[in-house]
Amino acid sequence: MNKDNALTSQQQIDNNFCMLGRILPREKCPICAQSFQLIAEKDGYVCPEHQTRPTRYIIYTYPFGMDRYLYSDPYGNPFTDYFNACRQLERMRGQWDDAKRGEGVFDPDKWIPRKAVFYRFEPLVKEWIRGYDLEARRDAKSEMYVQHLKCYMDDYLIPKFKKYDIRKIRKKVIDELYHDLLERDLATKTIKNILGALNTFLKAHIEIVQVLPSFPTISVTPKKEKNWLGTEKQIDILGVVPEKYQLAIELLFDTGHRTGEIRALKARDLVDGCVVFSRAFSGNRLRLRTKTGKVKSIRVSYGLYTRLVEHCKDKQPDDFMFTIDGRYMGPNRLYRVVKKACVDLKIEHVPVSQASRHSKVSQIRQQKEIEALHEAARQVGHSNIQTTERHYSIDGTGEVK
């Protein structure tokens, strides 16, 4: 751009042109260390005393809705000349005017150096998620895990960091995100998972970010107390659920395994009084491994095992053990059945994971405590178990249990 062809501010105002943005020097006078002065727009910046000029310029672009200064043109060439910077700014203003007249859209990415666009959060996240989708399809990652990851990114992280250069995601920005999430009244577990997803993403791009920022330490505090079902309530629930679900739910209660592992059982998984867990459903996708990657053989009661064998007597070895209308159970079926049973029995609703897994652990712990209490009474010579109970503490605090 020839300096004689540059439009002055007054000419642009007279023609009703966009006047957003401005050119700024990136340095000060090397002799006196004073700021350069804009003598006239057609002449650029100069030091009035020493007549020196800047060697680098930046474009202030925030009025265009952009979140950065521009130090170079879209091809990565730094603005070493005032009039080169003016040329780009006037082109940006022209595109802005066209957009206001409805003759196009203003595209900020067109003016950002290609390398900077490469570091943008949103495109990098989408590429990263595509890789996880491929791994989920090949059964290398849990489909449910990938779905949760997508939700965290789409609902919380992309809106916050959409156009961020991931190299600028540092501790201060992460703390701001953490406080924003706290204001939304989310469960601490959810907040921890969201920040964990961001941490995982940044670790995957450590070559770009160089140094991983520190994350706040979050203590997970449940929004409400975990509940568990005693044996009596589990028996009550089994008494009201439809017959076609009873065996599956009884096995769920008896083993404390995940619903996805119960749904994935096949007729051939009944072996010598044991149930063998070697696969699991993730959503509607059958994975040929459990969540822990281990094959578990769980011995069940003789009565339950006998009923399971009877249930599978007409099935082929590769048929699913529990089916509905000839198909495997859907991911939420057992949850809904247990929930309805709790409503019918006027029991405070307990999620399936707590009704089975948490309850199983609690029952085992309770049984072990009772056994320990009787063993303590025997060893110290108490004839009355209540005497031992008054002195019995399981957590070392002296609190009577």
Side-chain angles (χ1 to χ4, degrees):
M1 172 179 147
N2 188 302
K3 66 174 74 177
D4 295 329
N5 293 330
L7 292 175
T8 65
S9 296
Q10 189 57 48
Q11 288 173 319
Q12 292 180 1
I13 292 171
D14 292 342
N15 288 280
N16 196 29
F17 290 156
C18 166
M19 286 297 297
L20 297 178
R22 64 179 188 271
I23 311 298
L24 299 171
R26 197 179 173 185
E27 55 202 351
K28 295 183 178 181
C29 174
I31 300 174
C32 63
Q34 297 298 312
S35 298
F36 290 106
Q37 302 295 319
L38 183 62
I39 304 303
E41 286 196 48
K42 67 177 183 178
D43 294 323
Y45 287 88
V46 68
C47 174
E49 183 178 353
H50 300 100
Q51 296 301 301
T52 55
R53 290 181 178 275
T55 59
R56 296 290 293 274
Y57 296 85
I58 60 177
I59 300 179
Y60 177 73
T61 62
Y62 285 80
F64 292 100
M66 300 168 68
D67 60 353
R68 64 179 64 240
Y69 289 100
L70 294 183
Y71 299 87
S72 55
D73 66 19
Y75 302 99
N77 302 310
F79 297 124
T80 57
D81 180 87
Y82 176 76
F83 300 102
N84 286 338
C86 281
R87 181 186 294 116
Q88 173 154 328
L89 180 57
E90 288 189 10
R91 287 175 177 170
M92 292 172 68
R93 288 169 172 173
Q95 190 184 72
W96 185 272
D97 286 331
D98 290 343
K100 291 193 72 173
R101 289 193 296 268
E103 298 175 3
V105 294
F106 181 80
D107 182 9
D109 288 345
K110 177 180 178 181
W111 308 105
I112 296 173
R114 300 292 181 265
K115 192 173 182 181
V117 173
F118 173 74
Y119 295 139
R120 280 277 183 90
F121 183 83
E122 185 176 24
L124 285 175
V125 161
K126 289 185 175 179
E127 185 64 29
W128 180 63
I129 289 291
R130 272 195 292 270
Y132 270 46
D133 269 332
L134 177 61
E135 292 180 49
R137 288 196 296 272
R138 295 298 180 89
D139 206 31
K141 277 191 169 56
S142 164
E143 183 181 11
M144 294 300 292
Y145 170 69
V146 175
Q147 286 180 6
H148 285 140
L149 213 55
K150 285 180 181 178
C151 289
Y152 298 146
M153 290 297 174
D154 292 341
D155 296 345
Y156 303 102
L157 297 176
I158 288 179
K160 174 71 176 179
F161 299 117
K162 185 173 185 177
K163 295 185 178 180
Y164 254 79
D165 182 328
I166 66 170
R167 296 169 297 178
K168 295 183 178 179
I169 300 179
R170 312 311 302 165
K171 184 179 186 304
K172 180 180 178 182
V173 179
I174 292 171
D175 286 343
E176 289 176 1
L177 170 66
Y178 176 46
H179 296 148
D180 289 344
L181 295 174
L182 288 174
E183 288 180 356
R184 296 191 187 198
D185 195 31
L186 298 172
T188 50
K189 176 67 172 176
T190 302
I191 294 174
K192 185 173 183 177
N193 289 342
I194 293 168
L195 295 180
L198 178 60
N199 193 11
T200 303
F201 167 75
L202 293 177
K203 282 181 179 177
H205 296 83
I206 192 64
E207 291 183 0
I208 296 176
V209 298
Q210 298 295 320
V211 179
L212 199 66
S214 60
F215 282 73
T217 301
I218 302 174
S219 298
V220 176
T221 306
K223 276 198 165 185
K224 57 182 182 181
E225 187 178 355
K226 281 187 171 62
N227 293 322
W228 66 283
L229 298 176
T231 304
E232 295 79 8
K233 287 185 178 179
Q234 288 181 340
I235 292 173
D236 290 342
I237 288 175
L238 289 172
V240 299
V241 299
E243 185 178 354
K244 59 184 176 181
Y245 299 113
Q246 285 180 354
L247 264 181
I249 294 175
E250 184 176 354
L251 185 60
L252 188 74
F253 288 163
D254 191 73
T255 62
H257 274 248
R258 297 176 177 86
T259 56
E261 294 170 349
I262 298 291
R263 292 166 52 218
L265 287 172
K266 295 188 175 183
R268 59 183 166 90
D269 293 325
L270 296 175
V271 181
D272 295 332
C274 297
V275 180
V276 179
F277 294 90
S278 61
R279 69 192 77 81
F281 271 104
S282 178
N284 283 316
R285 184 183 295 277
L286 180 64
R287 305 185 70 207
L288 301 180
R289 61 192 296 275
T290 61
K291 183 176 181 179
T292 60
K294 297 178 181 179
V295 176
K296 294 165 286 185
S297 182
I298 306 298
R299 184 166 297 279
V300 296
S301 67
Y302 176 78
L304 176 57
Y305 186 80
T306 302
R307 291 195 300 278
L308 289 171
V309 170
E310 178 67 21
H311 173 74
C312 295
K313 68 179 182 180
D314 296 326
K315 294 179 180 287
Q316 297 299 316
D318 276 331
D319 289 346
F320 286 110
M321 191 178 295
F322 304 111
T323 57
I324 301 297
D325 300 326
R327 297 186 73 249
Y328 61 82
M329 284 189 183
N332 296 317
R333 184 65 65 97
L334 294 178
Y335 168 82
R336 290 197 294 265
V337 171
V338 172
K339 181 177 180 179
K340 184 177 185 305
C342 288
V343 172
D344 292 343
L345 294 169
K346 297 182 180 179
I347 298 173
E348 182 181 356
H349 173 54
V350 179
V352 154
S353 62
Q354 294 179 25
S356 59
R357 296 173 62 74
H358 298 175
S359 295
K360 183 65 176 178
V361 172
S362 299
Q363 288 168 8
I364 292 172
R365 176 178 173 177
Q366 185 183 62
Q367 181 61 35
K368 295 299 182 184
E369 288 176 11
I370 292 172
E371 292 174 3
L373 187 62
H374 283 278
E375 176 62 18
R378 187 188 66 79
Q379 289 196 23
V380 299
H382 289 160
S383 58
N384 189 337
I385 195 69
Q386 293 179 349
T387 305
T388 312
E389 204 169 21
R390 287 199 299 270
H391 304 285
Y392 182 54
S393 170
I394 62 168
D395 57 6
T397 62
E399 181 183 352
V400 176
K401 298 292 182 182

